[in-house]
Amino acid sequence: PRSEIVETTTLIVIMEFSLLPILQARLSDFSAEAINEEFSAEGVLLKLRMPCVRVEKFSALIQDLSRGRAILKVDAGRP
């Protein structure tokens, strides 16, 4: 049996602390995996890996949950 090759990308999400548990609960909906979490006084930076085809819907969810305040960007430095 042959397995399908799925192209993935690495994303960085910068958001308020309060959104972290909600987002973590939804990661499996997007076949996403958390790679790293960093905390600061301003909030949390979450690095994720997910299939490229899921990024658009994930971005819409992030913007909806954060009321447009979260920052979502592709990690250009990914291996």
Side-chain angles (χ1 to χ4, degrees):
R2 297 168 62 176
S3 57
E4 182 180 345
I5 296 174
V6 177
E7 186 178 354
T8 62
T9 191
T10 303
L11 302 174
I12 295 173
V13 182
I14 303 169
M15 61 189 177
E16 298 174 10
F17 295 112
S18 62
L19 298 177
L20 185 59
I22 299 165
L23 188 59
Q24 287 173 325
R26 298 291 307 271
L27 289 180
S28 64
D29 296 347
F30 296 92
S31 301
E33 106 180 83
I35 301 170
N36 189 37
E37 295 175 354
E38 295 177 23
F39 299 92
S40 70
E42 292 79 36
V44 62
L45 182 149
L46 185 62
K47 189 180 271 194
L48 306 168
R49 184 176 297 119
M50 74 173 55
C52 293
V53 297
R54 307 277 174 117
V55 171
E56 189 174 332
K57 287 186 179 184
F58 181 77
S59 177
L61 173 70
I62 292 292
Q63 293 309 309
D64 186 45
L65 289 175
S66 72
R67 295 182 175 94
R69 292 188 298 257
I71 297 169
L72 175 71
K73 56 188 175 181
V74 175
D75 182 8
R78 78 182 188 105

